[in-house]
């Protein structure tokens, strides 16, 4: 139930029985041959797995060019050339890693005899993935979404409705993911007999963080096989954006015991590091309880949740998955920060060098990678100490940027440089 001191089950008494029912059902089904066979067939034939691991040659060369311009002391006979690979979760059906989890939980819900699904969404990708799975399985679907996120992600709202979901706007609080999650939980409390709560990230009360992580681990397992097939070894770095943290824990987890692989999560620095202007929970938060589990949170001295901001709706959340809090505390993973402007610059850079438009969430991981390879720490570690000429970096490209193009275009800040 816990990851170190984090995780657990801090919920009203009315939710203990359905959570016990969920845990029992998951534990009995997860290794059952028919369940695994059905899940694997859907992942292959419907989701489109395995997704590609793509060598981003022009993006890598752009980073190398910047390094050489920065450090004139680099020996020309021993240049450093980081190789960046992209794990293309954006090529999954519905355009993001979210579908891995919704497919798994959707099949689980069906086997538990549930007729309805309720979910929350921020950027809309989880809502679209949930509505997609509900349509495929013939389940009634309700998705809660904050009004602020609805205004930012109109295309995904349309997609959810087209898929047959009922989208419930949330008008309370900051009108973003935190408030949508609150409303989804309230709805579930009142309808537990026939409704399955399909949680979208590795957060919430036990067993959700474990279930979501397990369904997302396919990303890391595929990455390990693919990079070893191509390069003959594990990557030196894995970089992934972190809001709730499902894509990050999915690609990180199969590498946790591989000490040579540095695991890096990237949080949203928003407009600036001041109260209400960012969502960098692991960097600036403290331990507390939100949405049924203990983890790092952005909260005031009285334990009230602070407002958060990110240009990316999917990272606009004041908490984080408990396993990430544990990995931070045991120093197995580190967590960096990228602000809105850096993410927008990366959004443009990857688009113009590789013809791949990343989701704004993924653009944070792109931006951090650029900062990382240009840092003195990176050069010291790879060029001067390890003498590693071609450090391997894998970025989890967790989603595609179609949903964000209109928002970025409306900002009028991109194409002028």
């Amino acid at each position: 139930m816990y990851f170190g001191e984090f995780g657990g089950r801090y919920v009203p008494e009315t939710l203990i029985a359905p959570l016990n029912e969920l845990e029992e059902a998951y534990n009995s089904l997860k290794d059952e041959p028919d369940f695994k066979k059905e899940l694997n067939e859907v992942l292959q034939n419907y989701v489109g797995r395995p997704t590609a691991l793509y060598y981003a040659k022009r993006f890598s060369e752009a980073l190398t060019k910047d390094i050489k311009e920065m450090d004139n002391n680099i020996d020309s006979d021993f240049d450093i050339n980081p190789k960046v690979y992209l794990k293309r979760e954006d090529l999954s059906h519905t355009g993001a890693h979210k579908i891995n989890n919704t497919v798994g939980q959707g099949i689980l819900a069906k086997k538990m005899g549930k007729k309805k699904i309720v979910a929350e969404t921020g950027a809309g990708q989880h809502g679209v993935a949930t509505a997609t799975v509900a349509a495929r399985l013939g389940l009634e679907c309700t998705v809660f979404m904050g009004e602020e996120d609805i205004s930012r992600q109109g295309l995904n709202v349309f997609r959810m409705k087209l898929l047959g979901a009922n989208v419930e706007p949330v008008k309370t609080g900051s009108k973003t993911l935190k408030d949508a999650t609150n409303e989804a939980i309230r709805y579930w409390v009142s309808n537990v007999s026939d409704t399955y709560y399909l949680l979208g990230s590795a957060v919430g009360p036990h067993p959700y963080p474990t279930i979501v992580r397990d369904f997302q681990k396919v990303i890391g397992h595929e990455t390990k096989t693919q990079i070893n097939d191509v390069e003959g070894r594990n990557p030196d770095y894995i970089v992934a954006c972190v809001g709730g943290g499902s894509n990050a824990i999915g690609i990180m987890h199969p590498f946790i015991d591989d000490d040579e692989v540095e695991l890096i999560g990237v949080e949203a620095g928003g407009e600036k590091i001041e109260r209400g202007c960012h969502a960098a929970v692991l960097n600036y938060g403290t331990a507390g309880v939100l949405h049924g589990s203990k983890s790092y949170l952005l909260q005031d001295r009285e334990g009230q949740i602070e407002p958060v901001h990110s240009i990316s709706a999917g990272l606009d959340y004041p908490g984080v998955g408990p396993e990430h809090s544990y990995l931070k505390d045991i120093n197995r993973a580190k967590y960096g920060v990228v602000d809105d402007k850096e993410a927008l610059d990366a959004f443009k850079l990857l688009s113009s060098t590789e013809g791949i438009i990343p989701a704004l969430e993924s653009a944070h991981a792109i931006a951090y990678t650029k900062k990382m390879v240009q840092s003195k720490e990176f050069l010291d570690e790879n060029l001067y100490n390890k003498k590693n000429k071609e450090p391997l970096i894998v970025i989890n490209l967790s989603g595609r940027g179609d949903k964000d193009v209109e928002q970025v275009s409306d900002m009028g800040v991109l194409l002028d440089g």
Side-chain angles (χ1 to χ4, degrees), residues 36-97:
K36 292 170 69 174
K37 180 181 178 183
E38 181 177 357
L39 177 60
N40 289 334
E41 285 179 351
V42 175
L43 288 174
Q44 179 178 336
N45 300 319
Y46 188 69
V47 174
R49 305 207 72 89
T51 58
L53 183 72
Y54 168 71
Y55 171 39
K57 186 172 185 290
R58 291 197 68 234
F59 177 71
S60 301
E61 290 172 349
L63 299 185
T64 303
K65 179 173 179 289
D66 287 345
I67 293 172
K68 291 176 180 175
E69 289 177 354
M70 286 173 50
D71 193 341
N72 294 324
N73 295 320
I74 292 178
D75 185 344
S76 60
D77 293 331
F78 194 71
D79 289 347
I80 184 168
N81 296 288
K83 295 181 72 173
V84 179
Y85 285 83
L86 305 176
K87 182 55 177 167
R88 298 291 307 277
E89 291 303 290
D90 59 314
L91 296 180
S92 298
H93 181 45
T94 73
H97 72 290

Side-chain angles (χ1 to χ4, degrees), residues 253-266:
H253 201 271
F255 291 95
I256 284 178
D257 293 331
D258 299 313
D259 293 338
E260 77 278 14
V261 182
E262 190 166 323
L263 307 176
I264 302 168
V266 185

Side-chain angles (χ1 to χ4, degrees), residues 106 147 356 365:
E147 276 197 336
I356 298 171

Side-chain angles (χ1 to χ4, degrees), residues 343-364:
L344 279 171
D345 290 344
F347 186 84
K348 179 179 178 181
L349 177 61
L350 190 70
S351 300
S352 61
T353 55
E354 294 292 347
I356 298 171
I357 303 173
L360 282 174
E361 290 81 0
S362 305
H364 285 70

